[in-house]
Amino acid sequence: MQDDVLIVHGGSPLEGEVRVKGAKNLVPKAMVAALLGEEPSRLRNVPGIRDVHIVRGLLQLHGVAVYEGDEPDELVMDPSSVELANVADIDAHAGSSRIPILLCGPLLHRIGRAFIPDLGGCRIGDRPIDFHLNVLREFGATVDKRPEGLYLEAPNGLHGAKIELPYPSVGTTEQVLLTAVRAEGTTELRNAAVEPEIIDLICVLQKMGAIISVATDRVIRITGVERLGGYTHRALPDRLEGASWACAALATQGDVFVRGARQLDMMTFLNVFRQVGGAFSVEDEGIRFWHPGGRLRAIALETDVHPGFQTDWQQPLVVALTQATGLSIVHETVYESRLGFTSALNQMGATIQLYSECLGGTPCRFGQRNFQHSAVISGPAKLHGADLVIPDLRGGFSYLIAALAAEGTSRVHGIDLINRGYEGFHTKLAALGARVELPPQQSGIAVAADAAGAVHSVA
Ligand code: EPU
């Protein structure tokens, strides 16, 4: 598809301002939470990204009325007529996102059964759903796995459980929250994930009437209630998008004010950004990120669950690390296959070597298992333009950063994938002075994306 290629002329710094709205990894889940209520919910600061449109479609299939609110970027969801959706209609969403798995608990509570299509999401590892199915069974659900998807029922209702996760999985923690809030009795979840987006989901559920406490030792306790109401909530800002723009500023020697970025959610990132040699200033309305001149410093870094260095920050930062002097080490401990994108950076002139050993940090789940999950980046490298094919969401944005930092012209294929998680990224790039255009057949005009994430051209 012609629209799916972006031509990027690199070599000039990104300068100006972008705004980040609600977090991609919270908004679709807060939309699912609305299913649990018996009154309408209002979600604010909703970005126009593909994942939001997918969940909106899924909610509508289940009888939830979803419409725009009075405020800009506000969605209203009215779940008063929730019903079982047609399997074939739900199946049309197969492979589009990972969010459908989170509908299990809410649908079991509301209508006693659920059908979940085959999941999608970024190919950054195997991404199994075993933890999800195990916890649902602990609550009393039956799961029938068929080729087209999962059929779930709860013949005796859902009951609170004592659960310990083998790993602090974000999605499974959300699964437990969305199921336990209306299960009979109390639930204790050990080794829970506590990412800021999870805490924000807990805030949403508490507004609806849930009783949830979070202890400092990754233990979450939930007391089930019989009824939940609606909520009005402003989604926390997207700290992953914020960090992506920060890395773009650093790699292109630019200066970008990210309106909406919040220090509290980005503390770990900010520390690393400073260690590498980037400068930032925290202001009331956002955070300004810039390259202060001089050399960037090589670092050793390990990704981890919150409050560690988020895996989704890793890919954009690696592009900036190609510009640092010396050897940087990155140990990816959350996903086993999130470094494959570096081969394209090497094609552009970077020197990045992958290893299957756990380098520079503590041994992780992937050591001794032949997954290339550690990288040594030797810099600074002079990047040059190339033909690139986007592999996944964050890897894709990282290719854009690399193309912008490189000398010469790159053709980036598969840019539509970026619309899954970055609202109007073309418009934002143009606002920062990036020189991007559609292929020559379309006369080299700037491009923008509408709220649905569809690409169209602007004069
Ligand atoms: N895991 C299992 N079994 C399961 C569930 C997870 O083995 O049943 C493993 C995964 O394979 C992975 C690890 O546990 O190795 C962590 O996975 P987690 O469940 O935490 O990830 P997720 O919920 O699928 C969310 C975000 C990701 C983000 C991770 C980690 C959404 C929609 N996705 O995924 O975001 O990287 O948490 O913070 O919230 C992105 O935004 O680009 C993205 C991939």
Side-chain angles (χ1 to χ4, degrees):
M1 192 174 77
Q2 204 64 268
D3 273 351
D4 213 23
V5 180
L6 194 66
I7 297 178
V8 180
H9 304 288
S12 39
L14 291 190
E15 282 170 353
E17 175 177 322
V18 289
R19 178 183 160 208
V20 293
K21 293 189 195 159
K24 160 191 163 279
N25 289 350
L26 174 271
V27 169
K29 292 121 184 225
M31 291 171 72
V32 172
L35 249 183
L36 284 162
E38 278 159 44
E39 288 148 17
S41 289
R42 284 177 184 273
L43 186 57
R44 296 181 173 149
N45 205 22
V46 174
I49 53 173
R50 177 93 38 74
D51 276 16
V52 168
H53 292 271
I54 291 167
V55 179
R56 182 177 183 154
L58 275 171
L59 290 182
Q60 285 168 332
L61 283 179
H62 288 94
V64 180
V66 185
Y67 50 92
E68 319 296 321
D70 299 334
E71 266 199 23
D73 308 316
E74 182 183 71
L75 270 190
V76 183
M77 293 151 288
D78 183 349
S80 39
S81 320
V82 172
E83 61 192 15
L84 195 61
N86 181 300
V87 168
D89 290 342
I90 308 176
D91 209 32
H93 287 75
S96 57
S97 149
R98 299 189 63 73
I99 307 297
I101 190 79
L102 295 178
L103 290 169
C104 296
L107 288 179
L108 287 174
H109 283 304
R110 291 301 303 264
I111 43 184
R113 25 195 183 132
F115 167 69
I116 308 299
D118 203 22
L119 300 182
C122 288
R123 301 263 167 258
I124 48 183
D126 196 25
R127 306 195 81 177
I129 51 166
D130 51 337
F131 302 168
H132 289 261
L133 301 187
N134 290 344
V135 300
L136 285 162
R137 290 189 185 106
E138 299 223 32
F139 281 109
T142 60
V143 184
D144 180 8
K145 275 168 117 173
R146 295 196 206 155
E148 68 273 24
L150 306 170
Y151 291 81
L152 294 103
E153 287 188 27
N156 303 312
L158 296 169
H159 304 274
K162 267 188 180 268
I163 299 168
E164 173 145 16
L165 296 183
Y167 182 81
S169 148
V170 168
T172 318
T173 301
E174 292 160 345
Q175 182 77 267
V176 169
L177 289 167
L178 291 165
T179 307
V181 283
R182 281 204 41 200
E184 198 188 321
T186 57
T187 295
E188 183 180 275
L189 177 64
R190 295 192 164 268
N191 206 21
V194 291
E195 268 60 7
E197 293 78 14
I198 290 176
I199 303 301
D200 211 40
L201 181 63
I202 291 174
C203 292
V204 165
L205 293 167
Q206 191 180 47
K207 285 177 175 174
M208 297 174 79
I211 303 170
I212 304 171
S213 69
V214 185
T216 49
D217 54 354
R218 294 196 178 278
V219 179
I220 300 181
R221 291 185 181 81
I222 306 126
T223 305
V225 295
E226 274 180 21
R227 180 186 183 283
L228 292 171
Y231 66 81
T232 298
H233 188 76
R234 186 170 185 81
L236 89 166
D238 198 313
R239 67 197 169 104
L240 309 181
E241 183 183 354
S244 298
W245 291 113
C247 293
L250 193 60
T252 63
Q253 309 214 3
D255 187 336
V256 176
F257 179 66
V258 184
R259 184 169 293 280
R262 228 168 48 175
Q263 180 182 21
L264 187 62
D265 312 321
M266 296 186 70
M267 275 190 160
T268 309
F269 176 82
L270 294 175
N271 286 334
V272 171
F273 193 79
R274 180 168 278 161
Q275 277 161 352
V276 175
F280 64 86
S281 87
V282 178
E283 293 164 25
D284 286 351
E285 303 289 321
I287 307 179
R288 179 186 158 209
F289 297 93
W290 73 98
H291 189 309
R295 291 175 164 197
L296 298 182
R297 292 182 286 273
I299 52 157
L301 174 77
E302 187 164 66
T303 65
D304 204 351
V305 294
H306 185 79
F309 190 90
Q310 181 79 19
T311 167
D312 310 282
W313 291 330
Q314 177 261 106
Q315 288 158 302
L317 187 79
V318 162
V319 181
L321 289 178
T322 65
Q323 303 309 302
T325 303
L327 292 182
S328 292
I329 297 173
V330 172
H331 180 205
E332 168 61 58
T333 77
V334 181
Y335 291 112
E336 66 273 27
S337 306
R338 212 173 195 176
L339 288 170
F341 78 107
T342 54
S343 59
L345 300 183
N346 285 343
Q347 199 191 318
M348 298 176 81
T351 307
I352 304 175
Q353 178 79 44
L354 300 187
Y355 296 86
S356 49
E357 290 82 8
C358 300
L359 293 187
T362 34
C364 77
R365 297 172 293 154
F366 311 134
Q368 315 300 328
R369 288 179 56 204
N370 235 6
F371 295 118
Q372 296 210 306
H373 69 294
S374 293
V376 175
I377 303 142
S378 172
K382 213 172 172 37
L383 300 181
H384 52 78
D387 247 35
L388 306 164
V389 181
I390 285 181
D392 60 74
L393 178 65
R394 308 291 167 196
F397 195 85
S398 306
Y399 285 0
L400 286 182
I401 301 177
L404 290 161
E407 285 297 325
T409 298
S410 297
R411 290 173 69 88
V412 188
H413 300 258
I415 49 158
D416 195 35
L417 218 158
I418 299 181
N419 290 313
R420 268 197 54 216
Y422 293 85
E423 180 186 41
F425 69 93
H426 306 82
T427 322
K428 290 180 183 174
L429 283 174
L432 295 175
R435 291 179 300 137
V436 293
E437 56 179 279
L438 288 170
Q441 290 89 326
Q442 309 207 11
S443 70
I445 45 186
V447 286
D450 63 21
V455 176
H456 58 89
S457 32
V458 291

